[in-house]
Amino acid sequence: MKKQIYELIEAVKLVALDADLQIKALPSFAYVPDEVALTLDQFLFQLDWVSEKTTKFEQVEKKIRELHNLFSEMTDNKQFTMEEFNSAKEWDNTRTLARKILAILDEPLTIPNLDWVTYVPGNSEETIQNKETIDDISNAYFKFMALLI
């Protein structure tokens, strides 16, 4: 469980970073908006598996679910473009919420260690050409996750 908590905190740190640092924290071939959301969202299922939930954990769990809901709304509103990522208030709201989670956990905002994340290699041109497919997959994923909550 310690490994999952460490990875969860690192994923929250990724969401909490300013846009320029989020871009730097990920591989150059990654489609940053999707990776920022999906790196954190994978922990949604694991939250239910924690048997001993402290008050602090319950606060964190609530905020992570809020983040998931924000990402789901942003997906529905097609806000996963790089332009939106860099300028939309909704993306700023996700960063602010992630910073609140770090504050609850007494964790500093630092560049996250994401060596546990596996990315599919490719180049930026391929990623941009396949953006429509990535959007379709992201939309399906977030809609599926929303059904489970």
Side-chain angles (χ1 to χ4, degrees):
M1 186 53 106
K2 285 185 179 186
K3 179 179 183 252
Q4 286 88 353
I5 291 171
Y6 168 78
E7 291 173 355
L8 170 64
I9 291 169
E10 296 304 297
V12 171
K13 287 179 180 180
L14 176 63
V15 178
L17 292 174
D18 289 333
D20 61 327
L21 294 175
Q22 288 171 319
I23 292 167
K24 289 179 184 176
L26 294 168
S28 60
F29 60 82
Y31 190 74
V32 179
D34 288 345
E35 293 298 344
V36 169
L38 295 175
T39 299
L40 178 69
D41 225 42
Q42 67 181 314
F43 291 97
L44 211 53
F45 286 123
Q46 295 178 20
L47 295 174
D48 293 331
W49 299 344
V50 176
S51 56
E52 295 179 30
K53 294 187 178 182
T54 64
T55 303
K56 185 184 274 192
F57 179 85
E58 287 175 354
Q59 292 173 340
V60 168
E61 180 180 23
K62 180 181 176 191
K63 297 287 184 203
I64 288 173
R65 292 190 189 283
E66 284 179 43
L67 261 177
H68 167 76
N69 291 337
L70 277 174
F71 284 135
S72 293
E73 288 173 23
M74 291 165 59
T75 299
D76 291 344
N77 295 329
K78 306 212 182 295
Q79 293 178 300
F80 273 69
T81 66
M82 284 304 294
E83 182 180 339
E84 292 282 334
F85 175 79
N86 284 305
S87 62
K89 70 175 176 149
E90 290 82 2
W91 277 100
D92 287 337
N93 292 344
T94 65
R95 295 176 185 110
T96 300
L97 190 52
R99 290 175 187 142
K100 288 178 181 178
I101 294 169
L102 292 176
I104 293 168
L105 294 169
D106 298 318
E107 287 287 334
L109 176 54
T110 58
I111 301 297
N113 177 358
L114 301 172
D115 64 355
W116 49 273
V117 180
T118 303
Y119 300 98
V120 178
N123 65 40
S124 296
E125 279 185 37
E126 288 174 352
T127 302
I128 291 168
Q129 289 171 355
N130 292 322
K131 175 67 180 107
E132 196 169 295
T133 302
I134 292 168
D135 282 345
D136 290 343
I137 293 168
S138 293
N139 288 338
Y141 174 80
F142 281 116
K143 286 178 182 175
F144 172 74
M145 292 296 287
L147 292 173
L148 298 175
I149 295 177

